[in-house]
Amino acid sequence: MSVIIVGGGIGGLSLALALFKVGVPCRIYEAAAEIKPLGVGLNLLPHAVTELGKLGLLDQLLALGVETRDVSFFTAHGQLVHREERGRHAGYTAPQISMHRGDLHMTLLQAVIDRLGEDAVHLGHRCVSADQDASSATAHFLTPGNRAVSAKGSVVIGCDGVHSVIRKQMYPDEAGYRFHGTVQYRGVTVSQPFLTGKSMAYVGTPETGKLVVYPIRENVDTEGRQLINWVVEVAKEDCGVRDWNRRAGYDDFIDLMSDWSFDWLDVPAMIRNASSIYEYPVVDQDPLPAWTDGRITLLGDAAHPMLPRGSNGAAQAIIDGNTLAQMLATDSDPLRTLKAYEEKRLPATARIVLTNREQAPDAILGVVEQRTGGRPFAKLEDVISQEEVAQWQDSYKSIAGFSIAQLQK
Ligand SMILES: Cc1cc2nc3c(=O)[nH]c(=O)nc-3n(C[C@H](O)[C@H](O)[C@H](O)COP(=O)(O)OP(=O)(O)OC[C@H]3O[C@@H](n4cnc5c(N)ncnc54)[C@H](O)[C@@H]3O)c2cc1C
């Protein structure tokens, strides 16, 4: 058994580490000529951290990121609707970690180089197609200067992200991505800690302007300030380009939150002090009927691109990788194994894709807004009970596979 991994992002590198752990040889082929610490923040929920812990990376990730203590949900008027503890503070064995995507990516890359050797990672290899015969699968690449090269293995795994070439080859007529009428502006700002200093907060809805904010690096200067990650989601008619690196300014959205100076955070000041802002459309794709074509399959965003709500994009890619590696290690028939992997992971991730559209964790704030007509409430219990909010959160955790009961089975 040998595995050709197309794409050296979060999913591809996690898969490589998981395969190394179970003794299955693999090679990674990445389009970029250099892997750089790109993106802004992401949240690793306890299910993802459990998998990364199995790969021996827990201490490193904890040292780089911030162990999330709690999550709070506020209306656009700054009224608290719900607060809950997270990770080990909520009784999980594994922590929840907020960190820079670049820190996670570079940690995975370094671990791959340390364990598999530098030769395992082939940069500057842009996959253009993959094919197979009765005993092998081959991925075809263009390298700088348009030199064509191929790599042959027992299987080819398409971990090539939201613009996956392997997916396109399997589904040439697939409808384009679905735009959900909002865009996200993402940025990082060096700032003083807010709330507990390890808190994550959601404020408002896409209609009022929505903010998600959490720290991702500790002590970035001598004044003990943190690197704070923030995401603002607003309604917009124009979808724009599906490019994680697209730069933006704050003029398009800052007016919506000009009076969001809460006693725990001055939102306009934080946004104005951002070192960089990126715009990303809120898009996803309908779940596919199948990911596997014989010896070729999909993993991560290539398989199940989902709305960037609920902190499950990276998590599900990591879980895909560990699941597939376990299966490849225990069954020597690649055709049967890739089909079994799809049968296990496709329905699980399809449910998350669909749930993120209407019932992501923060969508509970939309329920509150609907019931109050967007006005401040006098008493929260007249609008929504804590049981209803807790049920909403518990339901998302179960669907996404990170309830305490699921993880401690
Ligand atoms: C530049 C960038 C910035 C991002 N920033 C954020 C962020 O700030 N917050 C967040 O939550 N998520 C971000 N994401 C998305 C996040 O990494 C993924 O949603 C998640 O981790 C799933 O991982 P993945 O491996 O499936 O996809 P990705 O991590 O996107 O990895 C896909 C990899 O495949 C490579 N690739 C693409 N096409 C080909 C090809 N034809 N041949 C070979 N290789 C190819 C890409 O260069 C990339 O390295 C970002 C992704 C990218 C690429």
Side-chain angles (χ1 to χ4, degrees):
M1 180 73 72
S2 65
V3 179
I4 302 298
I5 300 175
V6 176
I10 307 297
L13 294 176
S14 305
L15 172 64
L17 292 171
L19 288 168
F20 177 78
K21 191 173 167 218
V22 294
V24 175
C26 68
R27 281 165 286 156
I28 304 130
Y29 293 85
E30 162 60 42
E34 188 187 346
I35 295 187
K36 295 183 187 155
L38 298 176
V40 284
L42 48 74
N43 238 284
L44 295 171
L45 298 170
H47 54 350
V49 176
T50 301
E51 300 300 318
L52 292 162
K54 290 180 198 162
L55 301 176
L57 299 173
L58 180 57
D59 291 343
Q60 268 170 281
L61 298 177
L62 273 172
L64 289 166
V66 175
E67 181 170 352
T68 310
R69 185 191 167 103
D70 64 316
V71 178
S72 296
F73 298 83
F74 298 91
T75 67
H77 303 288
Q79 293 184 293
L80 182 66
V81 170
H82 179 64
R83 175 185 178 278
E84 63 180 40
E85 305 276 318
R86 280 301 178 101
R88 293 194 279 211
H89 299 278
Y92 285 86
T93 319
Q96 176 170 330
I97 306 175
S98 301
M99 65 189 307
H100 198 292
R101 177 189 179 272
D103 289 343
L104 172 62
H105 199 188
M106 299 319 276
T107 303
L108 293 170
L109 177 65
Q110 195 53 53
V112 167
I113 291 171
D114 291 346
R115 297 175 199 180
L116 282 77
E118 208 139 1
D119 296 350
V121 186
H122 301 259
L123 299 176
H125 281 64
R126 185 167 61 81
C127 182
V128 287
S129 64
D131 53 34
Q132 57 191 304
D133 57 27
S135 58
S136 65
T138 305
H140 304 283
F141 304 93
L142 284 180
T143 58
N146 277 345
R147 196 171 58 88
V149 294
S150 299
K152 189 183 276 211
S154 315
V155 293
V156 168
I157 316 298
C159 310
D160 48 343
V162 291
H163 299 291
S164 172
V165 165
I166 309 265
R167 178 181 177 123
K168 188 79 193 159
Q169 177 180 305
M170 283 185 195
Y171 293 93
D173 301 323
E174 186 185 5
Y177 47 79
R178 284 170 63 124
F179 176 50
H180 291 264
T182 60
V183 298
Q184 289 190 342
Y185 295 94
R186 314 166 78 93
V188 285
T189 303
V190 172
S191 188
Q192 290 298 338
F194 65 86
L195 295 173
T196 66
K198 295 177 187 301
S199 296
M200 177 171 182
Y202 291 91
V203 186
T205 66
E207 287 69 36
T208 60
K210 176 183 120 182
L211 172 76
V212 189
V213 61
Y214 49 87
I216 55 172
R217 278 188 201 142
E218 298 280 16
N219 293 317
V220 294
D221 61 15
T222 49
E223 292 164 45
R225 293 190 297 174
Q226 296 173 315
L227 190 66
I228 308 283
N229 180 74
W230 54 264
V231 182
V232 169
E233 185 172 336
V234 297
K236 203 171 174 184
E237 277 175 23
D238 168 26
C239 171
V241 188
R242 195 188 194 188
D243 174 4
W244 286 107
N245 298 322
R246 184 171 172 218
R247 293 271 187 157
Y250 53 65
D251 292 340
D252 281 358
F253 63 91
I254 193 126
D255 285 352
L256 277 172
M257 36 203 63
S258 55
D259 60 347
W260 285 18
S261 286
F262 306 124
D263 56 4
W264 54 276
L265 185 68
D266 183 343
V267 177
M270 176 187 71
I271 290 170
R272 286 202 175 88
N273 288 328
S275 55
S276 47
I277 301 178
Y278 301 93
E279 182 178 344
Y280 194 77
V282 174
V283 294
D284 66 3
Q285 283 165 245
D286 286 334
L288 292 174
W291 298 342
T292 300
D293 170 17
R295 293 172 175 272
I296 304 171
T297 195
L298 303 171
L299 181 150
D301 280 356
H304 43 70
M306 55 185 68
L307 298 185
R309 297 172 182 159
S311 312
N312 264 287
Q316 297 302 322
I318 294 163
I319 296 168
D320 287 347
N322 274 9
T323 307
L324 179 56
Q326 283 299 332
M327 290 179 157
L328 286 168
T330 47
D331 188 339
S332 60
D333 178 349
L335 299 176
R336 196 169 49 213
T337 309
L338 296 199
K339 208 61 206 164
Y341 154 74
E342 173 192 301
E343 276 162 15
K344 181 154 191 194
R345 295 296 299 150
L346 192 154
T349 51
R351 280 190 80 198
I352 306 172
V353 170
L354 299 178
T355 305
N356 279 3
R357 291 181 180 170
E358 304 291 339
Q359 285 161 318
D362 58 292
I364 194 69
L365 292 171
V367 176
V368 171
E369 193 173 281
Q370 218 174 23
R371 292 183 191 170
T372 57
R375 286 180 290 275
F377 51 76
K379 278 202 242 149
L380 178 62
E381 57 266 35
D382 294 342
V383 180
I384 198 163
S385 67
Q386 280 307 300
E387 289 73 38
E388 188 179 347
V389 183
Q391 226 168 40
W392 185 286
Q393 300 306 322
D394 289 348
S395 160
Y396 188 79
K397 287 172 194 159
S398 297
I399 289 167
F402 71 103
S403 69
I404 291 192
Q406 284 163 314
L407 290 181
Q408 289 171 358
K409 259 201 306 212

